[in-house]
């Protein structure tokens, strides 16, 4: 009688699980068309192919990092939200990404990681933080013209060819800055007036919009380099410095007499465009970040349920015995939550072994091979390259990777059932 009740489930299990596994195992021993028996050649190719080796390496990173970080964040969120009045609202916000499909999340994070800071949230934040401490220059493309009194110096600076003298105005022309990106405070450039005992000069854009003007001469329609820094250098040491006014004029003290004038390289610092999140070196970590954003809420809800069933007397007893909050968390809360943490960790480990959607959507085509994982490689091998033999070998390898995690989960469930 029991067999009769189990038969429908056994038939479905055999058709949907046992048969596909058996067929994949057999198919992995045949060549690409499926006509010739090749033994373990497909497995040899799997471990010698560069793309598949990259996929195995990335899967190992996923397996170690993603479940651990998501579980840890879920634990922190679950514990902290128990202590605040708006904890329920916070839990809802953290769990909300679980309601979004992997495909939609991938599209969202493709935009989040956009290189242009005006479009990508991650780089907008990175640029804001960077520019708070080291803002970019207003003259990143400026350089001397062909007949300029300046020449290239070390480290991207520009230095006068001859020493300057007090009482004789100096001209330091530059070109290369588009008129529409000149600083807002820039005013029409002026020829600096001589001052006894001081070095004066003009730093300006030696270019007249619409044409005309005399090279290396301050013309009325040309703009001063407002805010640019000029240094006086003697024997490799800076003896004085000045900042140009709105009209480009500047004044240096008597110490600058006989020195070389220099535009330091900081004047020409390129704008910071953020981090190349989707470049070859960071793309896997960026996709893992998107995964954690989605699944930290799942971990938080399960761990929160475990916290709700915890005996509070044990926590209070620890506090009465003199334990601080960190000790209560580490010595009491975490050990009592170990079964729940095990469930969450094992579930996420199985999940990341078959991760596909995010890796398919988030990385641009140029770096998709660098973010490759086994599930994506299985898809590409089977449906893009049409090699069912190697694809079946990859699927069996994935199955072998999942089995130990699955057995660990079964063993843990049995151990808990005996308790």
């Amino acid at each position: 009688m029991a067999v009769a009740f189990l038969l429908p489930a056994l038939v479905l299990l055999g058709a949907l699980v046992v048969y596909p596994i058996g067929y994949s195992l057999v198919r992995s021993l045949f060549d690409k068309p499926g006509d010739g028996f090749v033994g373990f050649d497909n497995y040899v190719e799997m471990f010698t192919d560069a793309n598949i080796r990259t996929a195995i390496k990335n899967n190992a990173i996923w397996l170690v990092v993603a479940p651990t970080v998501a579980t840890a964040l879920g634990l922190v969120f679950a514990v902290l939200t128990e202590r605040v009045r708006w904890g329920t609202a916070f839990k809802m916000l953290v769990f909300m990404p679980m309601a979004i499909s992997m495909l939609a999340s991938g599209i969202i994070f493709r935009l989040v990681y956009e290189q242009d800071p005006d479009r990508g949230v991650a780089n907008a934040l990175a640029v804001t933080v960077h520019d708070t401490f080291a803002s970019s220059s207003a003259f990143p493309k400026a350089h001397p013209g062909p007949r300029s009194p300046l020449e290239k110096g070390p480290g991207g600076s520009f230095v006068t060819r001859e020493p300057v003298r007090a009482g004789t105005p100096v001209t330091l022309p530059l070109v290369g800055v588009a008129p529409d990106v000149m600083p807002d405070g820039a005013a029409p450039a002026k020829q600096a007036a001589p001052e006894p005992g001081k070095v004066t000069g003009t730093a300006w854009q030696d270019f007249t919009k619409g044409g005309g003007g005399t090279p290396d001469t301050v013309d009325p329609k040309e703009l001063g380099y407002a805010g640019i820094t000029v240094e006086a250098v003697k024997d490799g040491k800076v003896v004085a410095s000045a900042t140009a006014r709105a009209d480009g004029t500047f004044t240096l003290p008597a110490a600058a007499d006989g020195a070389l004038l220099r535009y330091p390289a900081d004047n020409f610092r390129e704008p910071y465009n953020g981090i190349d999140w989707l470049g070859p070196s960071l793309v896997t970590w960026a996709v893992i970040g998107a995964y954690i954003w989605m699944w930290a809420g799942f971990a938080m809800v399960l761990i929160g349920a475990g916290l709700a069933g915890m005996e509070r007397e044990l926590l209070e007893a620890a506090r009465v015995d003199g334990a601080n909050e960190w000790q209560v968390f580490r010595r009491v809360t975490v050990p009592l939550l170990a079964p729940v943490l095990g469930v969450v960790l094992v579930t996420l480990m199985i999940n990341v072994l078959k991760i596909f959607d995010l890796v398919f959507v988030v990385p641009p085509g140029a770096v998709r091979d660098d973010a490759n994982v086994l599930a994506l490689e299985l898809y590409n091998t089977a449906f893009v390259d049409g090699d069912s033999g190697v694809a079946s070998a990859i699927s069996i390898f994935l199955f072998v990777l999942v089995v130990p995690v699955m057995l660990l989960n079964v063993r843990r469930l049995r151990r808990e059932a005996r308790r």
Side-chain angles (χ1 to χ4, degrees):
M1 182 61 69
V3 176
F5 281 107
L6 290 174
L7 188 59
L10 291 174
V11 170
L12 284 174
L13 185 67
L16 299 179
V17 178
V18 177
Y19 173 74
I21 293 173
Y23 179 80
S24 297
L25 179 60
V26 173
R27 184 65 183 83
S28 69
L29 303 176
F30 286 80
D31 59 8
K32 183 174 180 177
D35 300 328
F37 181 81
V38 294
F40 292 101
D41 288 357
N42 289 326
Y43 292 92
V44 173
E45 181 177 346
M46 180 178 67
F47 288 106
T48 55
D49 183 88
N51 283 339
I52 301 178
R53 287 205 307 271
T54 300
I56 294 172
K57 180 195 74 174
N58 288 339
N59 261 105
I61 295 172
W62 273 89
L63 191 62
V64 172
V65 176
T68 305
V69 176
T71 304
L73 282 177
L75 176 61
V76 171
F77 290 156
V79 171
L80 293 181
T81 50
E82 279 204 326
R83 299 176 175 271
V84 294
R85 270 186 263 175
W86 41 270
T88 303
F90 180 81
K91 286 180 179 179
M92 183 183 69
L93 288 174
V94 175
F95 188 73
M96 195 176 293
M98 284 296 299
I100 306 173
S101 69
M102 284 277 200
L103 178 63
S105 296
I107 294 172
I108 291 170
F109 273 87
R110 180 71 175 269
L111 296 174
V112 167
Y113 292 134
E114 179 71 42
Q115 182 67 41
D116 185 354
D118 293 331
R119 298 177 61 189
V121 175
N123 269 338
L125 180 61
V127 169
T128 300
V129 173
H130 177 275
D131 288 351
T132 300
F133 300 99
S135 59
S136 58
S137 165
F139 319 105
K141 302 294 184 184
H143 60 273
R147 291 182 292 175
S148 173
L150 296 160
E151 62 183 1
K152 206 165 190 179
S157 63
F158 299 108
V159 186
T160 54
R161 301 176 191 274
E162 301 293 336
V164 296
R165 294 297 173 189
T168 304
V170 182
T171 55
L172 302 179
L174 292 172
V175 295
V177 180
D180 56 342
V181 297
M182 287 287 285
D184 294 335
K190 291 183 180 179
Q191 180 70 42
E195 294 186 31
K198 294 183 179 181
V199 174
T200 60
T202 305
W204 87 102
Q205 170 86 337
D206 190 21
F207 172 80
T208 303
K209 191 174 181 179
T214 305
D216 301 325
T217 303
V218 180
D219 294 304
K221 293 183 179 180
E222 296 170 348
L223 295 175
Y225 274 2
I228 199 168
T229 301
V230 181
E231 295 176 340
V233 181
K234 286 184 179 179
D235 300 323
K237 295 181 179 180
V238 177
V239 296
S241 67
T243 300
R245 305 177 187 92
D247 58 7
T249 59
F250 60 87
T251 302
L252 290 164
D257 184 41
L260 295 173
L261 296 192
R262 178 175 71 184
Y263 282 130
D266 286 349
N267 288 317
F268 315 109
R269 186 187 298 117
E270 293 283 348
Y272 181 65
N273 290 320
I275 301 168
D276 189 10
W277 298 103
L278 299 180
S281 59
L282 289 179
V283 63
T284 294
W285 301 99
V287 182
I288 290 175
Y291 177 89
I292 291 170
W293 176 77
M294 289 190 66
W295 287 86
F298 166 82
M300 178 195 66
V301 169
L302 288 189
I303 296 170
L307 277 172
M310 186 182 297
E311 296 182 16
R312 301 296 165 170
E313 293 82 1
L314 296 174
L315 303 181
E316 294 303 324
R319 294 188 182 101
V320 169
D321 287 340
N324 58 37
E325 289 304 316
W326 168 246
Q327 290 171 328
V328 171
F329 173 75
R330 186 165 61 93
R331 306 269 183 166
V332 181
T333 303
V334 172
L336 289 175
L337 286 175
V340 179
L341 295 175
V343 170
V344 174
L345 194 61
V346 170
T347 303
L348 294 180
M349 288 174 70
I350 294 173
N351 188 269
V352 299
L353 281 172
K354 55 183 183 178
I355 190 70
F356 172 82
D357 315 61
L358 285 176
V359 185
F360 185 77
V361 176
V362 175
V367 296
R368 189 170 290 168
D369 287 343
D370 297 288
N372 202 14
V373 290
L374 286 171
L376 180 60
E377 183 61 27
L378 170 59
Y379 170 83
N380 288 332
T381 304
F383 300 108
V384 178
D385 301 335
D387 192 341
S388 298
V390 175
S392 297
I394 297 173
S395 68
I396 294 299
F397 181 62
L398 261 177
F399 173 72
V400 170
L401 292 179
V402 171
V403 166
V405 182
M406 182 181 65
L407 293 177
L408 179 66
N409 201 26
V410 171
R411 183 180 176 185
R412 182 189 53 78
L413 291 173
R414 286 179 178 173
R415 187 167 56 250
E416 288 183 10
R418 286 196 295 269
R419 290 177 185 174

